[in-house]
Amino acid sequence: MSEITWSDFEAVELRVGTIVEVEDFPEARRPAYKLKIDFGGELGIKKSSAQITQLYQREELVGKQIIAVTNFPPKQIGPIRSEVLVTGFYGEDGAVTLAVPDKPTANGNRLA
């Protein structure tokens, strides 16, 4: 594991957002969803894709708060331009468990 500095960490903007729309992403190389996530007034709604189909159904994701990196440059993933990186944890089987706040918080709040 490589070491980073405190200023490296401070440069990463991890913010809370609420998933407002979920679509299947059949064009993806690995099973994934297309997401629209509301980060509140300053950032608004951003698009992303996430390989979380093993543990989550579309219906249960709408309204769920997640933690995402919001200051990466946009990245083209097939037909979608991903604007944020949704975070999660890999299980031993490769399935991704979303990183989420344990209590509701305002969209756009930054990780302390």
Side-chain angles (χ1 to χ4, degrees), residues 70-84:
T70 58
N71 64 333
F72 276 143
K75 181 177 182 179
Q76 195 70 38
I77 301 174
I80 185 176
R81 187 168 169 88
S82 182
E83 300 172 296
V84 298

Side-chain angles (χ1 to χ4, degrees), residues 77-95:
I77 301 174
I80 185 176
R81 187 168 169 88
S82 182
E83 300 172 296
V84 298
L85 176 68
V86 175
T87 61
F89 300 93
Y90 286 109
E92 290 180 18
D93 62 355

Side-chain angles (χ1 to χ4, degrees), residues 27-98:
E27 305 92 346
R29 279 186 256 153
R30 293 188 211 150
Y33 293 126
K34 293 187 234 180
L35 306 175
K36 287 188 180 174
I37 306 161
D38 183 1
F39 289 96
E42 182 183 337
L43 295 174
I45 294 177
K46 299 289 185 182
K47 292 183 278 184
S48 189
S49 69
Q51 296 172 359
I52 55 174
T53 59
Q54 285 180 269
L55 297 179
Y56 301 94
Q57 299 299 310
R58 286 175 42 191
E59 305 76 31
E60 71 183 294
L61 290 169
V62 174
K64 186 174 203 60
Q65 286 198 303
I66 54 85
I67 299 169
V69 178
T70 58
N71 64 333
F72 276 143
K75 181 177 182 179
Q76 195 70 38
I77 301 174
I80 185 176
R81 187 168 169 88
S82 182
E83 300 172 296
V84 298
L85 176 68
V86 175
T87 61
F89 300 93
Y90 286 109
E92 290 180 18
D93 62 355
V96 176
T97 300
L98 288 169

